[in-house]
Amino acid sequence: MERTLRDWRAITVFVGPALLLFVVILVVPIVWSLGYTLTEGSVIAGFHFVGLSNYVRLAQDPAFWSALWFSVKYAVLVSAGQVFFGLMLALLYSFYLKRSSVLVRTLVFLPVVLPTVAVAQLFVKLFAIAPQYGFLNSFLHAVHLDDLVQPWLGQGGSAFWVIVVMDVWKAMGLYAVLLYTGLMDIPEDTLEAARLDGAHGWKLTQFIILPLLTPVIVTSLIFSLNGTLKVFDSVLALTGGGPGTSTTPLTLYMYKTSFSYSQYGYGSTIAVALTLLCMIVSLIIIRRSREN
Amino acid sequence: MTRIAPAPLAERSGRPHPLAERLQSVPLFVIVALVLVVTVYPLVWMLLSSFKTADEFSGGVIWALPRTFSFDNFVRAWTVGKMNLYFVNSLLSVIPSLALVILMGVGAAFGLEIMRWRLKTSVSLLFLLGIMIPIQMVLLPLFTMYFRAHLLDTRWALILTYTAFGLPTTIFFLTGYFRNFAREIIEAAVVDGATIYQVFWKVVLPMVMNSVVTVALVQFFFMWNDLLVSLTFINNPDLRTIQAGLLNFAGQYGQREWGPTFASVTLAVAPTVIVYLLLNQKIMKGLTAGAVKG
């Protein structure tokens, strides 16, 4: 028995291929990328060593700071939105629709699996102004609010909100199911006892359900932040980062620096900053939730 | 996130939340109807708009029903928009990647969870690292590697990348499953004289088939919906996958030609919608399980 399960040849056969591919395609490039941050150039032009100057440039680059600010602002708002609406939906499923919520759950979850590029094209048409009014502008026109008709995606401010609305719309069904599962794990006796003590509706939610659901909410937030900090497809397909650079997150700034301007060194430096940001966020939230 | 401490009694008997009170007086079916409209209507609008002619867009009301159900827009998206080509390209990179990620992932999860060796914890942690790393971190070195190996503008670049990036979540999900696996069954098979490979193929694999399908579905959505990887490594228009192709098509024609654009978007979402409608419970379970563990 022992010998069969300790057979190193078999272990190599089972784990070897996956480990090899993973190391070559992911682990080596991570180290390689760190090396790139100390150089200047590209695969075509060749590389030369420049020390820490990319990091100095990063610290002084206003475009980097505005991309960072966009990423953080977007991630916080979208994660909060996804989890908040997910929670509202989960409460709706479990306390109003009860067991018959399967159909609603399934339909609200549908946008989760749709390709982001396709959803973005749909939202472009919802918010369009030219060559003709899209859905929202047509509606505003129909109810005689023509003052409000505007190029929603052509202005940095409103374009930001279109991206936020789209990504909340797309993912809230996932968090609804996640939190609904958490709600289902709360023992019925606990709720019954609270009801006997006179807790109903909002009070029951506030004092019994939310505290018990906190671990699931924290998990959802971590998962959501982890995804939203890496936002790329939504922005590229909706606004391309524009108008100007007003809706450019770190991911897109890194992409343009690397592939439009062929600056591998500086592109890698931005990528390192993004990776650190993702890790810091995860670690902070995990520690906070442990303290609680 | 601060945890809400139980409030003192005086506060509990305070006035109820005004918003909550107002919400409770709204009929339930109104709320449910609103939720369904917000979620489903944009997709219905997209589908209906796919049948509209150019005149209907410029002259009619944007939410009017199409006058005829002609498939002209779909035909144009499929041929002029090259959606037929993009579909094939996506399939040819996604299917091999799926097969590889499942084969390697199940093997690795089995080796990491069931087999006994010294470094298995470290190797598991290494795979776990892959979940946290944003793909941007490795894009440039990969580009260099594929460039030097002459793999840029080939499907291999996509297959290798999709497979490697699919491994961490696949392995993570399956090791969780193997952890609760009845070891007595494996031990009984070994005592009966089966080799470890026979145990894997004949005992373990059939038993985990259900989880494998779930993982495969989750991975399918990640790969099929990918934009970043295919945008980076594929330059040749004839090799574009569906998302990159759609982005390009909508950018070129999307402004002027609304009908074909809606049709191409409908075509792009169709496979995912069909798969989802057939297997929704499994997919929901798979995607949320990933979230709980991630």
mmCIF file with all atom_site columns, all heavy atoms in Angstrom, chain A residues 58-76:
data_model
loop_
_atom_site.group_PDB
_atom_site.id
_atom_site.type_symbol
_atom_site.label_atom_id
_atom_site.label_alt_id
_atom_site.label_comp_id
_atom_site.label_asym_id
_atom_site.label_entity_id
_atom_site.label_seq_id
_atom_site.pdbx_PDB_ins_code
_atom_site.Cartn_x
_atom_site.Cartn_y
_atom_site.Cartn_z
_atom_site.occupancy
_atom_site.B_iso_or_equiv
_atom_site.pdbx_formal_charge
_atom_site.auth_seq_id
_atom_site.auth_comp_id
_atom_site.auth_asym_id
_atom_site.auth_atom_id
_atom_site.pdbx_PDB_model_num
ATOM 1   N N   . LEU A 1 58 ? 7.987   55.501 -12.919 1.00 0.00 ? 58 LEU A N   1
ATOM 2   C CA  . LEU A 1 58 ? 6.643   55.133 -12.478 1.00 0.00 ? 58 LEU A CA  1
ATOM 3   C C   . LEU A 1 58 ? 6.144   56.099 -11.401 1.00 0.00 ? 58 LEU A C   1
ATOM 4   O O   . LEU A 1 58 ? 5.022   56.594 -11.464 1.00 0.00 ? 58 LEU A O   1
ATOM 5   C CB  . LEU A 1 58 ? 6.656   53.700 -11.935 1.00 0.00 ? 58 LEU A CB  1
ATOM 6   C CG  . LEU A 1 58 ? 5.307   53.061 -11.648 1.00 0.00 ? 58 LEU A CG  1
ATOM 7   C CD1 . LEU A 1 58 ? 4.689   52.553 -12.946 1.00 0.00 ? 58 LEU A CD1 1
ATOM 8   C CD2 . LEU A 1 58 ? 5.447   51.897 -10.691 1.00 0.00 ? 58 LEU A CD2 1
ATOM 9   N N   . ALA A 1 59 ? 7.017   56.369 -10.435 1.00 0.00 ? 59 ALA A N   1
ATOM 10  C CA  . ALA A 1 59 ? 6.628   57.235 -9.316  1.00 0.00 ? 59 ALA A CA  1
ATOM 11  C C   . ALA A 1 59 ? 6.313   58.650 -9.785  1.00 0.00 ? 59 ALA A C   1
ATOM 12  O O   . ALA A 1 59 ? 5.504   59.350 -9.169  1.00 0.00 ? 59 ALA A O   1
ATOM 13  C CB  . ALA A 1 59 ? 7.730   57.254 -8.267  1.00 0.00 ? 59 ALA A CB  1
ATOM 14  N N   . GLN A 1 60 ? 6.920   59.052 -10.897 1.00 0.00 ? 60 GLN A N   1
ATOM 15  C CA  . GLN A 1 60 ? 6.725   60.440 -11.359 1.00 0.00 ? 60 GLN A CA  1
ATOM 16  C C   . GLN A 1 60 ? 5.744   60.548 -12.523 1.00 0.00 ? 60 GLN A C   1
ATOM 17  O O   . GLN A 1 60 ? 5.569   61.620 -13.078 1.00 0.00 ? 60 GLN A O   1
ATOM 18  C CB  . GLN A 1 60 ? 8.083   61.024 -11.791 1.00 0.00 ? 60 GLN A CB  1
ATOM 19  C CG  . GLN A 1 60 ? 9.064   61.154 -10.640 1.00 0.00 ? 60 GLN A CG  1
ATOM 20  C CD  . GLN A 1 60 ? 10.476  61.407 -11.135 1.00 0.00 ? 60 GLN A CD  1
ATOM 21  O OE1 . GLN A 1 60 ? 10.778  61.182 -12.307 1.00 0.00 ? 60 GLN A OE1 1
ATOM 22  N NE2 . GLN A 1 60 ? 11.334  61.874 -10.248 1.00 0.00 ? 60 GLN A NE2 1
ATOM 23  N N   . ASP A 1 61 ? 5.136   59.417 -12.876 1.00 0.00 ? 61 ASP A N   1
ATOM 24  C CA  . ASP A 1 61 ? 4.297   59.391 -14.075 1.00 0.00 ? 61 ASP A CA  1
ATOM 25  C C   . ASP A 1 61 ? 2.832   59.698 -13.740 1.00 0.00 ? 61 ASP A C   1
ATOM 26  O O   . ASP A 1 61 ? 2.151   58.876 -13.141 1.00 0.00 ? 61 ASP A O   1
ATOM 27  C CB  . ASP A 1 61 ? 4.413   57.994 -14.711 1.00 0.00 ? 61 ASP A CB  1
ATOM 28  C CG  . ASP A 1 61 ? 3.566   57.858 -15.966 1.00 0.00 ? 61 ASP A CG  1
ATOM 29  O OD1 . ASP A 1 61 ? 2.949   58.854 -16.386 1.00 0.00 ? 61 ASP A OD1 1
ATOM 30  O OD2 . ASP A 1 61 ? 3.530   56.744 -16.523 1.00 0.00 ? 61 ASP A OD2 1
ATOM 31  N N   . PRO A 1 62 ? 2.342   60.873 -14.126 1.00 0.00 ? 62 PRO A N   1
ATOM 32  C CA  . PRO A 1 62 ? 0.942   61.204 -13.797 1.00 0.00 ? 62 PRO A CA  1
ATOM 33  C C   . PRO A 1 62 ? -0.050  60.220 -14.434 1.00 0.00 ? 62 PRO A C   1
ATOM 34  O O   . PRO A 1 62 ? -1.093  59.922 -13.850 1.00 0.00 ? 62 PRO A O   1
ATOM 35  C CB  . PRO A 1 62 ? 0.764   62.616 -14.367 1.00 0.00 ? 62 PRO A CB  1
ATOM 36  C CG  . PRO A 1 62 ? 1.926   62.860 -15.266 1.00 0.00 ? 62 PRO A CG  1
ATOM 37  C CD  . PRO A 1 62 ? 3.030   61.958 -14.835 1.00 0.00 ? 62 PRO A CD  1
ATOM 38  N N   . ALA A 1 63 ? 0.275   59.696 -15.617 1.00 0.00 ? 63 ALA A N   1
ATOM 39  C CA  . ALA A 1 63 ? -0.627  58.740 -16.275 1.00 0.00 ? 63 ALA A CA  1
ATOM 40  C C   . ALA A 1 63 ? -0.768  57.462 -15.438 1.00 0.00 ? 63 ALA A C   1
ATOM 41  O O   . ALA A 1 63 ? -1.845  56.871 -15.364 1.00 0.00 ? 63 ALA A O   1
ATOM 42  C CB  . ALA A 1 63 ? -0.102  58.387 -17.666 1.00 0.00 ? 63 ALA A CB  1
ATOM 43  N N   . PHE A 1 64 ? 0.336   57.055 -14.792 1.00 0.00 ? 64 PHE A N   1
ATOM 44  C CA  . PHE A 1 64 ? 0.271   55.880 -13.933 1.00 0.00 ? 64 PHE A CA  1
ATOM 45  C C   . PHE A 1 64 ? -0.648  56.134 -12.748 1.00 0.00 ? 64 PHE A C   1
ATOM 46  O O   . PHE A 1 64 ? -1.504  55.314 -12.414 1.00 0.00 ? 64 PHE A O   1
ATOM 47  C CB  . PHE A 1 64 ? 1.670   55.488 -13.436 1.00 0.00 ? 64 PHE A CB  1
ATOM 48  C CG  . PHE A 1 64 ? 1.648   54.539 -12.262 1.00 0.00 ? 64 PHE A CG  1
ATOM 49  C CD1 . PHE A 1 64 ? 1.331   53.207 -12.448 1.00 0.00 ? 64 PHE A CD1 1
ATOM 50  C CD2 . PHE A 1 64 ? 1.918   54.990 -10.976 1.00 0.00 ? 64 PHE A CD2 1
ATOM 51  C CE1 . PHE A 1 64 ? 1.286   52.331 -11.368 1.00 0.00 ? 64 PHE A CE1 1
ATOM 52  C CE2 . PHE A 1 64 ? 1.868   54.118 -9.897  1.00 0.00 ? 64 PHE A CE2 1
ATOM 53  C CZ  . PHE A 1 64 ? 1.549   52.794 -10.092 1.00 0.00 ? 64 PHE A CZ  1
ATOM 54  N N   . TRP A 1 65 ? -0.462  57.294 -12.098 1.00 0.00 ? 65 TRP A N   1
ATOM 55  C CA  . TRP A 1 65 ? -1.278  57.573 -10.912 1.00 0.00 ? 65 TRP A CA  1
ATOM 56  C C   . TRP A 1 65 ? -2.750  57.705 -11.255 1.00 0.00 ? 65 TRP A C   1
ATOM 57  O O   . TRP A 1 65 ? -3.610  57.270 -10.494 1.00 0.00 ? 65 TRP A O   1
ATOM 58  C CB  . TRP A 1 65 ? -0.770  58.831 -10.193 1.00 0.00 ? 65 TRP A CB  1
ATOM 59  C CG  . TRP A 1 65 ? 0.564   58.587 -9.574  1.00 0.00 ? 65 TRP A CG  1
ATOM 60  C CD1 . TRP A 1 65 ? 1.778   59.068 -9.996  1.00 0.00 ? 65 TRP A CD1 1
ATOM 61  C CD2 . TRP A 1 65 ? 0.841   57.753 -8.431  1.00 0.00 ? 65 TRP A CD2 1
ATOM 62  N NE1 . TRP A 1 65 ? 2.786   58.577 -9.195  1.00 0.00 ? 65 TRP A NE1 1
ATOM 63  C CE2 . TRP A 1 65 ? 2.240   57.779 -8.227  1.00 0.00 ? 65 TRP A CE2 1
ATOM 64  C CE3 . TRP A 1 65 ? 0.039   56.986 -7.574  1.00 0.00 ? 65 TRP A CE3 1
ATOM 65  C CZ2 . TRP A 1 65 ? 2.859   57.074 -7.193  1.00 0.00 ? 65 TRP A CZ2 1
ATOM 66  C CZ3 . TRP A 1 65 ? 0.645   56.282 -6.553  1.00 0.00 ? 65 TRP A CZ3 1
ATOM 67  C CH2 . TRP A 1 65 ? 2.037   56.333 -6.359  1.00 0.00 ? 65 TRP A CH2 1
ATOM 68  N N   . SER A 1 66 ? -3.048  58.269 -12.428 1.00 0.00 ? 66 SER A N   1
ATOM 69  C CA  . SER A 1 66 ? -4.468  58.398 -12.754 1.00 0.00 ? 66 SER A CA  1
ATOM 70  C C   . SER A 1 66 ? -5.058  57.028 -13.122 1.00 0.00 ? 66 SER A C   1
ATOM 71  O O   . SER A 1 66 ? -6.219  56.750 -12.821 1.00 0.00 ? 66 SER A O   1
ATOM 72  C CB  . SER A 1 66 ? -4.696  59.436 -13.855 1.00 0.00 ? 66 SER A CB  1
ATOM 73  O OG  . SER A 1 66 ? -4.352  58.919 -15.108 1.00 0.00 ? 66 SER A OG  1
ATOM 74  N N   . ALA A 1 67 ? -4.237  56.161 -13.746 1.00 0.00 ? 67 ALA A N   1
ATOM 75  C CA  . ALA A 1 67 ? -4.719  54.799 -14.033 1.00 0.00 ? 67 ALA A CA  1
ATOM 76  C C   . ALA A 1 67 ? -4.929  54.021 -12.737 1.00 0.00 ? 67 ALA A C   1
ATOM 77  O O   . ALA A 1 67 ? -5.906  53.283 -12.584 1.00 0.00 ? 67 ALA A O   1
ATOM 78  C CB  . ALA A 1 67 ? -3.732  54.061 -14.936 1.00 0.00 ? 67 ALA A CB  1
ATOM 79  N N   . LEU A 1 68 ? -4.018  54.209 -11.797 1.00 0.00 ? 68 LEU A N   1
ATOM 80  C CA  . LEU A 1 68 ? -4.138  53.544 -10.495 1.00 0.00 ? 68 LEU A CA  1
ATOM 81  C C   . LEU A 1 68 ? -5.414  54.007 -9.794  1.00 0.00 ? 68 LEU A C   1
ATOM 82  O O   . LEU A 1 68 ? -6.191  53.199 -9.270  1.00 0.00 ? 68 LEU A O   1
ATOM 83  C CB  . LEU A 1 68 ? -2.921  53.853 -9.627  1.00 0.00 ? 68 LEU A CB  1
ATOM 84  C CG  . LEU A 1 68 ? -2.936  53.282 -8.203  1.00 0.00 ? 68 LEU A CG  1
ATOM 85  C CD1 . LEU A 1 68 ? -2.827  51.765 -8.237  1.00 0.00 ? 68 LEU A CD1 1
ATOM 86  C CD2 . LEU A 1 68 ? -1.792  53.852 -7.371  1.00 0.00 ? 68 LEU A CD2 1
ATOM 87  N N   . TRP A 1 69 ? -5.626  55.319 -9.832  1.00 0.00 ? 69 TRP A N   1
ATOM 88  C CA  . TRP A 1 69 ? -6.821  55.888 -9.196  1.00 0.00 ? 69 TRP A CA  1
ATOM 89  C C   . TRP A 1 69 ? -8.083  55.338 -9.848  1.00 0.00 ? 69 TRP A C   1
ATOM 90  O O   . TRP A 1 69 ? -9.033  54.958 -9.167  1.00 0.00 ? 69 TRP A O   1
ATOM 91  C CB  . TRP A 1 69 ? -6.765  57.421 -9.270  1.00 0.00 ? 69 TRP A CB  1
ATOM 92  C CG  . TRP A 1 69 ? -8.022  58.118 -8.833  1.00 0.00 ? 69 TRP A CG  1
ATOM 93  C CD1 . TRP A 1 69 ? -8.742  59.030 -9.530  1.00 0.00 ? 69 TRP A CD1 1
ATOM 94  C CD2 . TRP A 1 69 ? -8.705  57.962 -7.571  1.00 0.00 ? 69 TRP A CD2 1
ATOM 95  N NE1 . TRP A 1 69 ? -9.831  59.444 -8.804  1.00 0.00 ? 69 TRP A NE1 1
ATOM 96  C CE2 . TRP A 1 69 ? -9.840  58.808 -7.614  1.00 0.00 ? 69 TRP A CE2 1
ATOM 97  C CE3 . TRP A 1 69 ? -8.472  57.168 -6.428  1.00 0.00 ? 69 TRP A CE3 1
ATOM 98  C CZ2 . TRP A 1 69 ? -10.739 58.894 -6.543  1.00 0.00 ? 69 TRP A CZ2 1
ATOM 99  C CZ3 . TRP A 1 69 ? -9.383  57.258 -5.364  1.00 0.00 ? 69 TRP A CZ3 1
ATOM 100 C CH2 . TRP A 1 69 ? -10.477 58.118 -5.436  1.00 0.00 ? 69 TRP A CH2 1
ATOM 101 N N   . PHE A 1 70 ? -8.069  55.247 -11.182 1.00 0.00 ? 70 PHE A N   1
ATOM 102 C CA  . PHE A 1 70 ? -9.225  54.696 -11.881 1.00 0.00 ? 70 PHE A CA  1
ATOM 103 C C   . PHE A 1 70 ? -9.477  53.251 -11.447 1.00 0.00 ? 70 PHE A C   1
ATOM 104 O O   . PHE A 1 70 ? -10.602 52.867 -11.131 1.00 0.00 ? 70 PHE A O   1
ATOM 105 C CB  . PHE A 1 70 ? -9.025  54.737 -13.400 1.00 0.00 ? 70 PHE A CB  1
ATOM 106 C CG  . PHE A 1 70 ? -10.194 54.172 -14.166 1.00 0.00 ? 70 PHE A CG  1
ATOM 107 C CD1 . PHE A 1 70 ? -11.220 54.990 -14.606 1.00 0.00 ? 70 PHE A CD1 1
ATOM 108 C CD2 . PHE A 1 70 ? -10.277 52.810 -14.429 1.00 0.00 ? 70 PHE A CD2 1
ATOM 109 C CE1 . PHE A 1 70 ? -12.307 54.471 -15.296 1.00 0.00 ? 70 PHE A CE1 1
ATOM 110 C CE2 . PHE A 1 70 ? -11.369 52.270 -15.112 1.00 0.00 ? 70 PHE A CE2 1
ATOM 111 C CZ  . PHE A 1 70 ? -12.375 53.109 -15.544 1.00 0.00 ? 70 PHE A CZ  1
ATOM 112 N N   . SER A 1 71 ? -8.403  52.451 -11.418 1.00 0.00 ? 71 SER A N   1
ATOM 113 C CA  . SER A 1 71 ? -8.542  51.036 -11.044 1.00 0.00 ? 71 SER A CA  1
ATOM 114 C C   . SER A 1 71 ? -9.129  50.879 -9.650  1.00 0.00 ? 71 SER A C   1
ATOM 115 O O   . SER A 1 71 ? -10.027 50.066 -9.428  1.00 0.00 ? 71 SER A O   1
ATOM 116 C CB  . SER A 1 71 ? -7.179  50.335 -11.093 1.00 0.00 ? 71 SER A CB  1
ATOM 117 O OG  . SER A 1 71 ? -6.826  50.052 -12.407 1.00 0.00 ? 71 SER A OG  1
ATOM 118 N N   . VAL A 1 72 ? -8.602  51.660 -8.704  1.00 0.00 ? 72 VAL A N   1
ATOM 119 C CA  . VAL A 1 72 ? -9.050  51.540 -7.314  1.00 0.00 ? 72 VAL A CA  1
ATOM 120 C C   . VAL A 1 72 ? -10.500 51.991 -7.181  1.00 0.00 ? 72 VAL A C   1
ATOM 121 O O   . VAL A 1 72 ? -11.339 51.298 -6.592  1.00 0.00 ? 72 VAL A O   1
ATOM 122 C CB  . VAL A 1 72 ? -8.127  52.343 -6.372  1.00 0.00 ? 72 VAL A CB  1
ATOM 123 C CG1 . VAL A 1 72 ? -8.707  52.411 -4.968  1.00 0.00 ? 72 VAL A CG1 1
ATOM 124 C CG2 . VAL A 1 72 ? -6.737  51.719 -6.346  1.00 0.00 ? 72 VAL A CG2 1
ATOM 125 N N   . LYS A 1 73 ? -10.805 53.154 -7.770  1.00 0.00 ? 73 LYS A N   1
ATOM 126 C CA  . LYS A 1 73 ? -12.158 53.701 -7.708  1.00 0.00 ? 73 LYS A CA  1
ATOM 127 C C   . LYS A 1 73 ? -13.151 52.706 -8.319  1.00 0.00 ? 73 LYS A C   1
ATOM 128 O O   . LYS A 1 73 ? -14.193 52.397 -7.734  1.00 0.00 ? 73 LYS A O   1
ATOM 129 C CB  . LYS A 1 73 ? -12.167 55.015 -8.502  1.00 0.00 ? 73 LYS A CB  1
ATOM 130 C CG  . LYS A 1 73 ? -13.356 55.902 -8.286  1.00 0.00 ? 73 LYS A CG  1
ATOM 131 C CD  . LYS A 1 73 ? -13.155 57.267 -8.966  1.00 0.00 ? 73 LYS A CD  1
ATOM 132 C CE  . LYS A 1 73 ? -12.902 57.117 -10.460 1.00 0.00 ? 73 LYS A CE  1
ATOM 133 N NZ  . LYS A 1 73 ? -13.033 58.393 -11.210 1.00 0.00 ? 73 LYS A NZ  1
ATOM 134 N N   . TYR A 1 74 ? -12.786 52.195 -9.480  1.00 0.00 ? 74 TYR A N   1
ATOM 135 C CA  . TYR A 1 74 ? -13.655 51.255 -10.177 1.00 0.00 ? 74 TYR A CA  1
ATOM 136 C C   . TYR A 1 74 ? -13.849 49.981 -9.341  1.00 0.00 ? 74 TYR A C   1
ATOM 137 O O   . TYR A 1 74 ? -14.976 49.512 -9.148  1.00 0.00 ? 74 TYR A O   1
ATOM 138 C CB  . TYR A 1 74 ? -13.045 50.912 -11.546 1.00 0.00 ? 74 TYR A CB  1
ATOM 139 C CG  . TYR A 1 74 ? -13.632 49.688 -12.186 1.00 0.00 ? 74 TYR A CG  1
ATOM 140 C CD1 . TYR A 1 74 ? -14.716 49.776 -13.038 1.00 0.00 ? 74 TYR A CD1 1
ATOM 141 C CD2 . TYR A 1 74 ? -13.101 48.421 -11.919 1.00 0.00 ? 74 TYR A CD2 1
ATOM 142 C CE1 . TYR A 1 74 ? -15.266 48.649 -13.596 1.00 0.00 ? 74 TYR A CE1 1
ATOM 143 C CE2 . TYR A 1 74 ? -13.648 47.283 -12.479 1.00 0.00 ? 74 TYR A CE2 1
ATOM 144 C CZ  . TYR A 1 74 ? -14.731 47.401 -13.313 1.00 0.00 ? 74 TYR A CZ  1
ATOM 145 O OH  . TYR A 1 74 ? -15.275 46.273 -13.848 1.00 0.00 ? 74 TYR A OH  1
ATOM 146 N N   . ALA A 1 75 ? -12.737 49.431 -8.835  1.00 0.00 ? 75 ALA A N   1
ATOM 147 C CA  . ALA A 1 75 ? -12.810 48.153 -8.111  1.00 0.00 ? 75 ALA A CA  1
ATOM 148 C C   . ALA A 1 75 ? -13.673 48.294 -6.863  1.00 0.00 ? 75 ALA A C   1
ATOM 149 O O   . ALA A 1 75 ? -14.517 47.439 -6.577  1.00 0.00 ? 75 ALA A O   1
ATOM 150 C CB  . ALA A 1 75 ? -11.413 47.662 -7.748  1.00 0.00 ? 75 ALA A CB  1
ATOM 151 N N   . VAL A 1 76 ? -13.486 49.381 -6.115  1.00 0.00 ? 76 VAL A N   1
ATOM 152 C CA  . VAL A 1 76 ? -14.249 49.571 -4.878  1.00 0.00 ? 76 VAL A CA  1
ATOM 153 C C   . VAL A 1 76 ? -15.734 49.708 -5.183  1.00 0.00 ? 76 VAL A C   1
ATOM 154 O O   . VAL A 1 76 ? -16.584 49.038 -4.581  1.00 0.00 ? 76 VAL A O   1
ATOM 155 C CB  . VAL A 1 76 ? -13.723 50.801 -4.104  1.00 0.00 ? 76 VAL A CB  1
ATOM 156 C CG1 . VAL A 1 76 ? -14.683 51.185 -2.986  1.00 0.00 ? 76 VAL A CG1 1
ATOM 157 C CG2 . VAL A 1 76 ? -12.334 50.521 -3.550  1.00 0.00 ? 76 VAL A CG2 1
#
